Amino acid sequence: MASPEQKELTLKTCTEAEARKIWTDTIDEWASTRPAIKHWTFHFNNNKRRRGVCKYGSFRVEISRNLLFMGREEVKSTILHEFAHVMAGYENGHNAVWQQWAVRVGGSPNRCGRGMPVEYRWKATCSSCKKVVGWHR
């Protein structure tokens, strides 16, 4: 029998297939207004700190597999955030044009979401203030 923690994790996670469906549904919804977005592809990466990225040069949107453990709503929010970058264009970063697109596609106009839960590979603790700092490489 699964522990309460395992049940919570099972209920909260989003599968890669569900994330891909969110992406394809979003593309399908907007393709009639901008047919060129059909050329954009969706991929997963193993980033630990960055939730998603829009790569304009290769017409590619990526989200971190680590984000899947945060649940469907977080995944959808990140996909819509990156899709707003696709629609707004490279030159708009997180400016007002991008913010308008974020709202228009159903996302949040905020630049960053909550941090991702990360277990650092290495940690150091300050001997005076006891602050813990972590890093991956």
Side-chain angles (χ1 to χ4, degrees), residues 85-113:
H85 282 295
V86 170
M87 298 301 276
Y90 174 78
E91 65 280 358
N92 289 302
H94 290 106
N95 70 11
V97 173
W98 173 82
Q99 290 172 354
Q100 290 169 352
W101 272 109
V103 170
R104 195 167 167 196
V105 301
S108 168
N110 298 324
R111 182 170 181 246
C112 299

Side-chain angles (χ1 to χ4, degrees), residues 77-92:
S77 174
T78 302
I79 289 171
L80 292 175
H81 175 107
E82 299 308 331
F83 184 71
H85 282 295
V86 170
M87 298 301 276
Y90 174 78
E91 65 280 358
N92 289 302

